[in-house]
Every structure is written in structure tokens, then in C-alpha cells.
């Protein structure tokens, strides 16, 4: 992965329709985005389609990226996740993966880049998530990494959907309060 | 549920997390487009929760995705279908940069602060600037746009675009009178597909996303309105037809494949 300033620079070039920069951006970010969407969709054909839509969107919206509001990678990750969630909600037949496999990711990553990517912001977020009740932390992680819906979470945790919604929102509210403004 | 958990902030948070029910998600999508305050909340959560990406193991995608991304980029912007560079195309690209100028204002301010970095990167970028046109032929995207002048009952300031996939089979012919901002679309060979509609889009640098001009092809003639667009937007835009669910795109943006596209060619110059 390139450094954030390098990615900012590439996105600026992509906004000016620089195809070489676009290819470089793709090479630098494709494995990260594919890992994210594949984990949510769990089907290569759907993940391929979402990857295409994601990069098309990046190409078309690079001019809207605002370095004051996001880092390049969180901006691109958000586009990819958003598309993947849209897709997974439309394809209800996509089966739910074993939970342990989803959570493994968050527990311990062999990704050599992770250390470099351990930003101050990530440290703060993890500290805040660490303060959540364990079950609620698992809800948030399953939703974030696995793209689980409220219904899927409700089935897994054997709770009504409305309870899951309340738990999710309380967890998110706690995260928000912990992170401060 | 308390008021606090029912706030727009929590709606944005759950939207980003991806757990909203489908109808709430649709509403949140609409809010994003219409309410800048809500969009800021979404950006906040995207950035905060997005930090979690660092723990996802990267997975190398299949190699052919890049070629398909390039093909779709080219299809969305037929004016810059990837071909070996030629002077005319370069000039056109520069024109695009000029048109992007205003939108890029913010970018330029950012870029100014990055001047030193840019210099340091220049060498890398030059090395990386492998012309996509040098791709082996099978990987090159199939050009989907060939615009040509057709014989049309021409009046002053009339433009024509042939929207087609290949030269042998024009699918739609779009005729535009820029002065009066009226247009007509004639279906030539595009076949009706059961349960699907063809939707016409205006694609312009001036807008972040394609603008729908309505459905075409249900009758042999359609009269999309261009009243909301200024003449230079109309004449510079690319026109594309996508295949959508019956009744048109449910999202307001093209959701199906872009099958045909073309740019306007001046059939007769405006009267002096």
C-alpha cells in the first residue's frame, strides 16, 4: 500500500482523468478492497462485479474526495463496502459464513501491512470498541466485516430484530461518545 | 428506544455499518443526496469505522477485473475510448481538463501543498505511465461508440448522435436542436427486451453523475427534454443508453449495462 499522501496525489490525478494514475491507484488498493468485498459477498462472481462498480465510481467521483473529511483508503473502502452491502441485501441467497471465520480477521491479523496501518485513529477506535460489552462488540464486528443484516444477527443471537437494532445503536452511540467530536 | 438512538447521527452510523433495513437504506441514500448535513454524518462514520479495514487480509483479485474496469470506464466516456494516442484525442483530453477546472478548484488548493511530494513522485508516475493502449488486443475494451453524421432532415443548429455498439448496427439515433433544446430519439435496431427498459442518460463533466433523460425505445420515437441544460452542456455531453428494469432505473443512476453511447456531431452549423 502506498502512503496516504501518495494516494491523495493519485486521487487528485484521477480526478483530472489521468488513466496512468488510475491504474496505479488500482494496483495499490485492489487487494485491500477485494479482501473487504469478498468477505461480505463470499462469492467471487459478485465480488468481481462489485470491484468493477467500485472502481468505476472511484473514477467518476475522485473529484469529490475531500482530504479534510477522509483518508483516501477509508473513502475507497466506504465506496466498496457500500456497493457490497447493496449487493448482499439484494441477493438474499448468499449464505452466512461461519462466525468464527469472520471474527478471526479482527482478532489477529497476519497482514504485515497492518502494523504500518495502525494509525492513531485506529488505536482510538479499538480502545473505544474494547469498552463495549463483548456481545455488542461482536455485533458491530460481524456487521462491519461480514455485512450481516439485523435479521442475520437476530437469528445468530436469538433476539428480536428490534433488540438487535437497539443494541447496535447503543454500541454506535457509545463509540461516538468515546471518540469525542 | 431513546431519542438519542433515533437521531440522524445513528441513522448515518447504521447506514455505514450496513445494518439498516432495505427501506431505511433507500431513505438514507436519498438523504445523502439531498441533505448535506446528513452526508457529513455519513462521511464521519465512514472515516471512523473505516479504520477497521486495516485488519482485513488483502486478497489478490482475478487479473481480468482491471481490463473490465477499463472497458466500463471507456464505455462511460466514449470520447476517450482507449486507443493509441493521436493528436486530436490529446486535444480533446485537454478540453476535458479545462471543463473540469471549476470542479477541481478544491483539488488544486490541496495539490499546491503537495507540490514537493508531487515532484518526488514524478519519477515513479512516469515509470508507471504504461499506455493502456499498449495492452494486448484481447484485453483492450471493445469500443462501444462510433459517432458519425447521418443524413437527417437538417435544420439550423441540429446535432445528431448515433448510439450504437458497432458500425453495422445503429441502435438509436438521437437528434438534438440545441437552440430550442429539443430532441428526438428514434429506435433503429435495438430490440425490445421483455421486462426491461432502455433509459437515455446525459453524461457530462459538469455533473458528478449521469442525468436521466427518460426512457427510450418503448415507442419508435421518444422526445426527451433537455430544457434543464445549457447549450454547451448539451453539445459537449455524451449520450448513453443503459438497459434497466422495466420502468427505468430504480435509483436515479444507471444500474444496468451501458449498451450504446455516442457524442453529438454537428449536422448543420447554426445559422449566422
Amino acid at each position: 500500500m502506498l502512503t496516504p499522501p501518495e494516494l491523495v496525489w493519485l486521487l487528485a490525478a484521477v480526478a483530472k482523468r489521468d488513466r496512468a494514475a488510475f491504474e496505479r491507484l488500482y494496483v495499490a488498493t485492489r487487494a485491500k478492497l477485494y479482501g473487504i468485498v469478498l468477505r461480505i459477498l463470499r462469492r467471487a462472481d459478485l465480488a468481481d462485479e462489485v470491484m468493477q462498480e467500485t472502481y468505476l465510481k472511484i473514477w467518476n467521483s475522485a473529484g469529490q474526495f475531500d482530504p479534510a473529511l477522509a483518508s483516501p483508503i477509508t473513502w475507497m473502502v466506504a465506496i466498496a463496502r457500500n456497493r457490497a452491502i447493496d449487493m448482499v441485501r439484494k441477493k438474499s441467497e448468499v449464505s452466512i459464513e461461519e462466525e468464527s471465520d469472520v471474527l478471526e480477521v479482527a482478532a489477529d491479523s497476519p497482514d504485515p501491512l497492518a502494523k504500518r496501518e495502525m494509525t492513531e485513529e485506529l488505536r482510538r477506535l479499538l480502545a473505544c470498541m474494547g469498552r463495549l460489552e463483548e456481545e455488542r462488540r461482536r455485533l458491530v464486528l460481524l456487521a462491519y466485516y461480514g455485512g450481516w443484516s439485523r435479521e442475520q444477527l437476530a437469528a445468530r443471537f436469538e433476539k428480536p430484530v428490534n433488540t438487535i437494532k437497539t443494541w447496535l445503536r447503543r454500541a454506535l452511540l457509545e463509540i461516538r461518545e468515546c471518540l469525542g467530536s | 428506544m431513546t431519542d438519542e438512538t433515533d437521531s440522524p447521527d445513528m441513522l448515518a452510523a447504521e447506514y455505514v455499518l450496513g445494518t439498516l433495513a432495505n427501506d431505511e437504506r433507500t431513505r438514507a441514500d436519498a438523504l445523502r443526496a439531498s441533505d448535506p448535513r446528513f452526508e457529513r454524518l455519513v462521511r464521519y462514520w465512514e472515516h471512523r469505522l473505516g479504520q477497521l479495514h486495516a485488519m482485513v487480509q488483502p486478497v489478490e483479485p482475478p487479473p481480468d477485473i482491471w481490463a473490465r474496469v477499463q472497458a466500463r470506464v471507456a464505455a462511460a466516456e466514449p470520447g476517450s475510448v482507449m486507443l493509441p494516442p493521436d493528436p486530436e484525442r490529446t486535444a480533446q483530453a485537454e478540453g476535458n481538463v479545462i471543463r473540469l477546472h471549476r470542479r477541481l478548484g478544491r483539488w488544486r488548493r490541496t495539490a499546491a501543498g503537495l507540490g514537493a511530494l508531487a515532484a518526488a513522485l514524478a519519477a515513479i508516475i512516469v515509470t508507471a505511465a504504461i499506455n493502456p493502449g499498449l495492452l494486448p488486443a484481447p484485453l483492450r475494451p471493445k469500443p462501444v461508440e462510433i459517432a458519425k453524421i447521418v443524413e437527417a432532415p437538417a435544420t439550423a443548429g441540429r446535432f445528431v448522435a448515433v448510439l450504437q455498439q458497432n458500425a453495422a448496427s445503429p441502435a438509436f439515433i438521437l437528434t438534438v436542436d440545441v437552440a430550442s433544446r429539443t430532441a428526438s430519439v428514434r429506435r433503429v435496431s435495438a430490440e425490445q427486451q421483455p421486462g426491461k427498459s432502455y433509459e437515455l442518460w446525459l453524461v457530462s463533466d459538469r455533473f458528478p453523475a449521469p442525468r436521466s433523460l427518460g426512457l427510450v425505445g418503448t415507442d419508435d420515437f421518444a422526445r426527451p427534454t433537455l430544457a434543464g441544460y445549457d447549450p454547451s452542456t448539451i453539445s459537449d455531453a455524451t449520450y448513453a443508453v443503459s438497459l434497466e428494469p422495466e420502468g427505468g432505473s430504480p435509483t436515479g443512476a444507471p444500474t444496468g449495462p451501458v449498451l450504446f453511447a455516442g457524442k453529438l456531431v454537428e449536422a448543420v452549423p447554426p445559422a449566422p
Side-chain angles (χ1 to χ4, degrees), chain B residues 125-146:
Chain B
I125 299 296
V126 168
T127 315
I130 299 162
N131 189 332
L134 300 178
L135 280 172
L139 289 180
R140 245 178 255 160
K142 205 165 63 183
V144 297
E145 172 260 352
I146 300 165

Side-chain angles (χ1 to χ4, degrees), chain B residues 54-71:
Chain B
M55 260 107 56
V56 176
Q57 181 75 21
V59 178
E60 198 57 38
D64 60 335
I65 289 183
W66 175 239
R68 282 190 271 144
V69 169
Q70 285 181 303

Side-chain angles (χ1 to χ4, degrees), chain B:
Chain B
M1 178 145 316
T2 65
D3 285 342
E4 248 181 335
T5 56
D6 248 350
S7 65
D9 187 35
M10 287 300 105
L11 183 69
E14 251 205 290
Y15 172 82
V16 170
L17 193 58
T19 49
L20 288 180
N22 281 347
D23 57 329
E24 294 171 307
R25 189 165 173 80
T26 308
R27 221 164 42 235
D29 275 325
L31 269 180
R32 283 191 76 171
S34 60
D35 181 351
R37 247 190 81 244
F38 185 74
E39 174 67 13
R40 270 200 303 279
L41 292 172
V42 169
R43 297 284 176 103
Y44 169 91
W45 283 105
E46 283 180 349
H47 186 58
R48 291 298 173 272
L49 293 179
Q51 303 300 328
L52 291 171
H53 81 80
M55 260 107 56
V56 176
Q57 181 75 21
V59 178
E60 198 57 38
D64 60 335
I65 289 183
W66 175 239
R68 282 190 271 144
V69 169
Q70 285 181 303
R72 288 173 74 160
V73 163
E77 306 193 3
S80 50
V81 168
M82 274 172 275
L83 294 168
D86 67 51
E88 201 182 324
R89 200 166 289 284
T90 307
Q92 193 180 352
E94 281 161 9
N96 283 339
V97 170
I98 292 164
R99 285 200 297 276
L100 278 168
H101 179 85
R102 255 168 304 187
R103 205 173 92 192
L104 289 176
R106 188 177 64 206
W107 268 114
R108 284 173 206 283
R109 287 194 294 280
T110 309
L114 291 168
L117 175 66
L121 268 176
I124 306 172
I125 299 296
V126 168
T127 315
I130 299 162
N131 189 332
L134 300 178
L135 280 172
L139 289 180
R140 245 178 255 160
K142 205 165 63 183
V144 297
E145 172 260 352
I146 300 165
K148 61 177 184 182
I149 300 171
V150 296
E151 292 195 4
T155 58
R158 177 157 287 196
F159 289 67
V160 171
V162 180
L163 311 182
Q164 59 189 18
Q165 269 179 315
N166 59 62
S169 59
F172 292 94
I173 292 176
L174 170 71
T175 313
V176 174
D177 185 334
V178 173
S180 66
R181 297 181 206 178
T182 54
S184 69
V185 181
R186 190 148 53 91
R187 179 158 66 97
V188 183
S189 69
E191 286 180 9
Q192 283 298 332
Q193 301 202 24
K196 301 277 183 187
S197 296
Y198 290 111
E199 192 160 357
L200 178 68
W201 304 89
L202 180 148
V203 184
S204 167
D205 286 337
R206 294 169 174 82
F207 307 122
R211 300 287 182 93
S212 174
L213 297 175
L215 300 182
V216 294
T218 45
D219 301 306
D220 286 349
F221 250 101
R223 296 200 168 274
T225 174
L226 291 165
Y229 303 95
D230 62 63
S232 69
T233 301
I234 293 170
S235 54
D236 289 343
T238 296
Y239 296 84
V241 172
S242 68
L243 191 63
E244 300 291 344
E246 196 161 21
S249 163
T251 66
T255 61
V258 172
L259 296 179
F260 316 103
K263 286 179 96 74
L264 292 178
V265 174
E266 199 166 344
V268 171

